[in-house]
């Protein structure tokens, strides 16, 4: 359920052996069981078996929650550019409370007092070559449980080249905030780290982070040759006349394709989607599915588009980037002299 403007999701590629939707459906039959932690000596003292049913926990997919999402995305001229099929499903993850014992410490609590359930959304989608899964959570423990449900052997971590983030910033600074003919970045901030922990706050997409989050700090970071590992941007996709924005997106992503999106501000008008049950019966497109459509649009279309645009421009970027770093270094130095360290004090430090 979407609770705040910004929420994080983690995306993983599936191995090539997962090649059709029937295999995805088979994965959704997986059930994992484990036991809640309880001190074995105390269990033995009270004659309680370590595999007592009250300690059993189960993780599984909820097949009745499965929905099919089909999306068509138009290019700047209005022609269909991409068709994407996805399936959303809810996972039931059981976790245990820290205290499993009754008040007198002589017996276990009831199962329902030991174990609680969390329901987490997952979205499977396919590009031209591979299947992917989006886990709609930022809890690393939950993500680990979801990976087990999908099968660790089926998971491949995504690793986006760090230069992509420097390229986006370079285009922002050197190309009048334009990434390409039809993509603009009116706003950017950047970070040295990846998205970690809860992302349901408003610091991800503004300049309030304690990390590298204002242009002067980014300039310094790039000037000394350090890599950015994530960016937060407002991205606009323009129509063919460049007069209107077909989509306006506020999001942050990192090199492992974790994603935070501002659900309230982001708007897409170049994509249409339908939601249905597995039998093809149409479903209501509520707020939850609008959020899912944004995640699919960003993960399956926008981020690959940025990677493609970078790949086309990579040689030009490599040729120009060193001079860009030198200009940034001069700018940072001059700002230090002008606003902070006087040239006389700087000269004194060199002696």
């Amino acid at each position: 359920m979407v609770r705040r403007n910004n929420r994080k999701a983690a995306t993983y590629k599936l191995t090539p052996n997962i090649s059709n939707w029937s295999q995805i459906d088979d994965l959704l039959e997986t059930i994992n069981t484990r036991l809640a932690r309880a001190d074995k000596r105390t269990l033995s003292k009270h004659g309680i078996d370590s595999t007592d049913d009250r300690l059993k926990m189960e993780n599984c997919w909820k097949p009745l929650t499965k929905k099919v999402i089909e999306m068509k995305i138009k290019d700047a001229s209005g022609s269909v550019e991409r068709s994407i099929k996805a399936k959303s499903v809810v996972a039931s993850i059981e976790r245990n409370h820290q205290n499993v014992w009754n008040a007198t410490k002589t017996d276990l609590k009831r199962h329902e007092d030991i174990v609680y359930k969390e329901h987490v959304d997952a979205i499977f989608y396919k590009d031209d070559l591979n299947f992917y899964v989006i886990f709609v959570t930022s809890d690393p423990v939950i993500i680990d449980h979801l990976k087990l449900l999908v099968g660790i052997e089926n998971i491949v971590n995504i690793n986006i080249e760090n230069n992509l983030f420097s390229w986006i910033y370079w285009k922002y600074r050197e190309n009048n905030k334009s990434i390409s003919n039809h993509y603009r970045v009116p706003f950017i901030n950047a970070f040295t780290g990846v998205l970690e922990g809860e992302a349901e706050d408003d610091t991800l997409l503004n300049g309030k982070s304690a990390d590298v989050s204002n242009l002067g700090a980014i300039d310094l970071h790039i000037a000394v040759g350090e890599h950015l590992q994530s960016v937060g941007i407002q991205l606009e996709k323009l129509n063919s006349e460049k007069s209107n924005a077909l989509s306006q997106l506020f999001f942050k992503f990192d090199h492992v394709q974790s994603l935070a999106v501002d659900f309230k501000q982001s708007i897409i008008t170049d994509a249409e989607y339908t939601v249905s049950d597995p039998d093809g019966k149409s479903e209501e497109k509520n707020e939850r599915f609008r959020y899912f459509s944004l995640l699919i649009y960003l993960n399956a279309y926008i981020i690959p588009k940025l990677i493609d645009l970078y790949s086309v421009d990579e040689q030009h970027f490599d040729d120009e980037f060193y001079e860009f770093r030198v200009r940034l270094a001069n700018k940072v130095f001059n700002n230090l002299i002008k606003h902070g360290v006087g040239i006389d004090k700087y000269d004194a430090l060199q002696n």
Side-chain angles (χ1 to χ4, degrees), residues 240-256:
S240 54
E241 294 81 21
K242 303 180 187 178
S243 57
N244 292 309
L246 299 173
S247 64
Q248 188 164 217
L249 304 160
F250 296 79
F251 68 103
K252 180 183 177 185
F253 72 108
D254 63 20
H255 72 94
V256 294

Side-chain angles (χ1 to χ4, degrees), residues 26-267:
D26 290 342
L27 287 179
L28 300 182
E29 301 295 325
T30 303
I31 298 175
N32 291 334
T33 59
R34 66 193 193 284
L35 296 169
R37 292 183 180 179
D39 183 73
K40 291 184 177 180
R41 289 177 298 178
T42 308
L43 289 171
S44 177
K45 175 182 176 181
H46 296 295
I48 302 171
D49 193 285
S50 60
T51 60
D52 190 287
D53 284 346
R54 289 171 290 180
L55 294 173
K56 289 184 178 178
M57 296 187 291
E58 180 179 279
N59 295 342
C60 64
W61 301 103
K62 298 170 71 67
L64 294 179
T65 66
K66 192 191 307 179
K67 305 298 178 188
V68 178
I69 304 170
E70 296 188 88
M71 177 178 287
K72 293 185 183 299
I73 302 171
K74 298 176 183 178
D75 62 18
S77 66
S79 300
V80 174
E81 180 181 359
R82 284 287 311 277
S83 295
I84 302 166
K85 180 179 179 179
K87 288 186 178 181
S88 69
V89 66
V90 175
S92 175
I93 306 296
E94 291 191 340
R95 303 174 74 172
N96 65 280
H97 295 287
Q98 188 171 6
N99 181 21
V100 301
W101 297 98
N102 64 10
T104 60
K105 307 291 185 184
T106 56
D107 197 6
L108 294 171
K109 293 179 179 179
R110 298 176 305 166
H111 179 266
E112 56 266 36
D113 295 326
I114 293 175
V115 174
Y116 64 97
K117 292 184 179 182
E118 293 194 31
H119 296 115
V120 186
D121 292 300
I123 304 165
F124 294 86
Y125 70 91
K126 187 179 186 301
D127 66 9
D128 294 335
L129 298 174
N130 298 99
F131 278 91
Y132 295 78
V133 61
I134 306 169
F135 298 141
V136 190
T137 179
S138 59
D139 186 325
V141 175
I142 292 291
I143 288 174
D144 285 343
H145 287 309
L146 291 170
K147 285 181 177 180
L148 288 171
L149 275 177
V150 173
I152 293 293
E153 69 280 5
N154 298 319
I155 294 283
V156 178
N157 291 329
I158 294 172
N159 191 11
I160 299 171
E161 186 177 349
N162 283 330
N163 275 347
L164 172 68
F165 306 110
S166 297
W167 172 79
I168 292 173
Y169 187 64
W170 173 67
K171 296 291 280 189
Y172 172 85
R173 294 300 294 260
E174 298 288 287
N175 199 38
N176 196 29
K177 302 184 179 181
S178 292
I179 295 295
S180 71
N181 284 339
H182 297 292
Y183 288 90
R184 290 189 69 253
V185 179
F187 167 83
I188 188 170
N189 60 25
F191 301 80
T192 56
V194 297
L195 280 70
E196 294 179 333
E198 289 297 325
E200 296 174 318
D201 60 68
D202 292 326
T203 64
L204 287 168
L205 304 179
N206 60 34
K208 297 179 182 177
S209 172
D211 205 337
V212 181
S213 59
N214 61 72
L215 299 190
I218 302 171
D219 288 348
L220 174 60
H221 197 71
I222 290 178
V224 298
E226 297 293 336
H227 286 294
L228 303 174
Q229 295 192 71
S230 55
V231 293
I233 56 177
Q234 175 189 347
L235 180 69
E236 293 179 344
K237 177 184 174 181
L238 305 177
N239 63 4
S240 54
E241 294 81 21
K242 303 180 187 178
S243 57
N244 292 309
L246 299 173
S247 64
Q248 188 164 217
L249 304 160
F250 296 79
F251 68 103
K252 180 183 177 185
F253 72 108
D254 63 20
H255 72 94
V256 294
Q257 205 159 317
S258 293
L259 179 73
V261 55
D262 189 317
F263 170 73
K264 299 297 183 183
Q265 290 195 78
S266 296
I267 299 171

Side-chain angles (χ1 to χ4, degrees), residues 1-4 7 119 121 136 200 287-288 291-292:
M1 181 176 179
V2 180
R3 290 173 291 174
R4 299 187 186 178
R7 197 173 180 194
H119 296 115
D121 292 300
V136 190
E200 296 174 318
E287 184 181 86
R288 178 167 167 260
Y291 178 62
F292 289 178

